[in-house]
Amino acid sequence: MYPFDFFNKTNSPTESFFQNQFTPEHLHHIKQMVKQYNSLLNEDFWQNIYGLSKQHTLQVLPIEIWESNDSLFLSIVAPGLSDMNEAALEFHSDQEVTLTVKANSLKPVNADQLLKSELPQQTYKREIFLPKRVDPFDYSSSYERGVITYVFIKVKNEM
């Protein structure tokens, strides 16, 4: 194969290559890489590194995705939430969601004054591509031991 053969549309192995490489999941990963690259070019970059910026978004919410025959389970590590109102889930499609979590200070019960904190107190946002289609209107959520778990009903394959 010559270097410019991939521009030739009559070359069926090339067309096959592009059709197989650009799945929705692959495009989602490319989109995430572009967003991360753009964040490096942001004029607020060094302030984010040194913690000087008051509002910025980081994608540091680790996830696990499990499935059963009928359900998809999305678990997100998000310690310190006082309730589920501090987490919001927004569907963009039946496979793509954005999770937003507001992290607050973890004030002990009898404490009066915060003297020092290295804990980030900010809003975290994470875009998640689900490996299976789910019903965006039929799901439940829970929060236990610092982990948010969403249970989605998988969409049955229609043929």
Side-chain angles (χ1 to χ4, degrees):
M1 179 183 257
Y2 294 102
F4 290 103
D5 281 350
F6 71 93
F7 288 114
N8 184 355
K9 290 189 178 194
T10 60
N11 188 347
S12 63
T14 302
E15 288 176 11
S16 169
F17 170 78
F18 283 113
Q19 288 171 352
N20 291 335
Q21 290 297 318
F22 295 109
T23 64
E25 184 174 1
H26 184 75
L27 291 174
H28 174 75
H29 290 299
I30 291 172
K31 179 180 171 184
Q32 290 302 106
M33 288 179 358
V34 169
K35 281 185 175 184
Q36 289 175 349
Y37 176 76
N38 285 335
S39 73
L40 292 176
L41 297 178
N42 185 343
E43 63 187 52
D44 205 33
F45 173 71
W46 290 109
Q47 289 180 343
N48 288 345
I49 293 296
Y50 293 113
L52 302 173
S53 177
K54 291 187 181 186
Q55 291 184 328
H56 55 281
T57 301
L58 298 174
Q59 294 195 7
V60 295
L61 300 169
I63 66 168
E64 281 191 337
I65 300 175
W66 293 76
E67 79 173 312
S68 67
N69 287 337
D70 300 322
S71 302
L72 201 66
F73 302 84
L74 171 63
S75 297
I76 303 101
V77 176
L81 299 184
S82 60
D83 61 44
M84 284 296 296
N85 292 330
E86 294 175 347
L89 192 67
E90 177 186 355
F91 279 88
H92 301 288
S93 72
D94 57 3
Q95 280 188 275
E96 190 172 356
V97 297
T98 298
L99 176 72
T100 305
V101 175
K102 174 71 174 116
N104 296 310
S105 184
L106 306 173
K107 181 181 179 272
V109 174
N110 293 321
D112 295 322
Q113 182 178 5
L114 178 65
L115 301 177
K116 179 179 179 177
S117 177
E118 294 178 355
L119 299 173
Q121 297 176 29
Q122 62 195 32
T123 299
Y124 294 95
K125 192 175 272 194
R126 171 87 190 254
E127 289 188 16
I128 302 165
F129 186 82
L130 302 172
K132 307 281 175 116
R133 294 176 52 220
V134 299
D135 182 349
F137 303 105
D138 189 9
Y139 66 92
S140 62
S141 62
S142 63
Y143 182 69
E144 185 178 342
R145 296 183 301 158
V147 177
I148 302 169
T149 301
Y150 291 96
V151 181
F152 304 108
I153 305 301
K154 293 193 304 189
V155 172
K156 304 288 185 221
N157 291 336
E158 300 172 14
M159 295 196 181

